[in-house]
Amino acid sequence: MLSGFAPLSRGRQVAVVFGLIYTILGTVGFAVSGFDGFAAPRGDTLTIFEVNPLQNLVHLALGWWMVNAGFRGEGPGLRAGWVAAVVLGLLGLAGVTWFRAEPGLNFINSNAAVDIAHLVSAVTIAGWLGLGAARREPVP
């Protein structure tokens, strides 16, 4: 073991790992979409995901915020994880309901693959954080 190295706590792990994932997604998304059609309901395709610059900016901001929170400590990391789970869950639900019913309002350019990815991310983050909460010892 490295001297002075302490493993990251669960909240910090979630914030840093998912923060890096979303930072990478936003960066790669910009490489594909550029900056044209900022909030257009239809844009470019990255493998099976439809992307537009607004969605990429949201991913970059979410990723940066989560990584920053993860390096600030357990409390900020946990809060960032739970907020991200709620936001991604709401975006996924909006995608499968509201954005499908009103395609002109699909400002983040989500398709079924994007919606599923947001929902899976939300469930994974919540599960990872919930698993950590279940393993904690009760405070006397």
Side-chain angles (χ1 to χ4, degrees), residues 7-140:
L8 293 177
S9 60
R10 178 91 42 181
R12 295 178 79 183
Q13 288 174 3
V14 169
V16 171
V17 168
F18 278 90
L20 289 173
I21 289 169
Y22 275 92
T23 300
I24 291 167
L25 288 174
T27 304
V28 172
F30 271 121
V32 171
S33 72
F35 295 93
D36 295 334
F38 187 74
R42 289 288 166 246
D44 298 301
T45 302
L46 173 63
T47 64
I48 59 173
F49 304 103
E50 289 187 16
V51 296
N52 70 7
L54 177 59
Q55 184 185 75
N56 300 330
L57 184 62
V58 169
H59 286 161
L60 276 175
L62 178 68
W64 176 86
W65 176 64
M66 289 183 76
V67 169
N68 186 40
F71 283 119
R72 287 184 47 224
E74 174 67 4
L78 280 172
R79 280 189 297 279
W82 285 115
V83 169
V86 169
V87 168
L88 292 167
L90 290 173
L91 281 173
L93 290 174
V96 298
T97 58
W98 186 43
F99 296 153
R100 294 302 156 259
E102 295 290 334
L105 299 176
N106 188 0
F107 54 91
I108 63 165
N109 190 28
S110 71
N111 63 353
V114 170
D115 299 334
I116 290 168
H118 285 157
L119 291 170
V120 167
S121 290
V123 169
T124 304
I125 291 169
W128 197 353
L129 291 173
L131 180 64
R135 290 185 175 181
R136 271 190 232 132
E137 305 245 341
V139 178

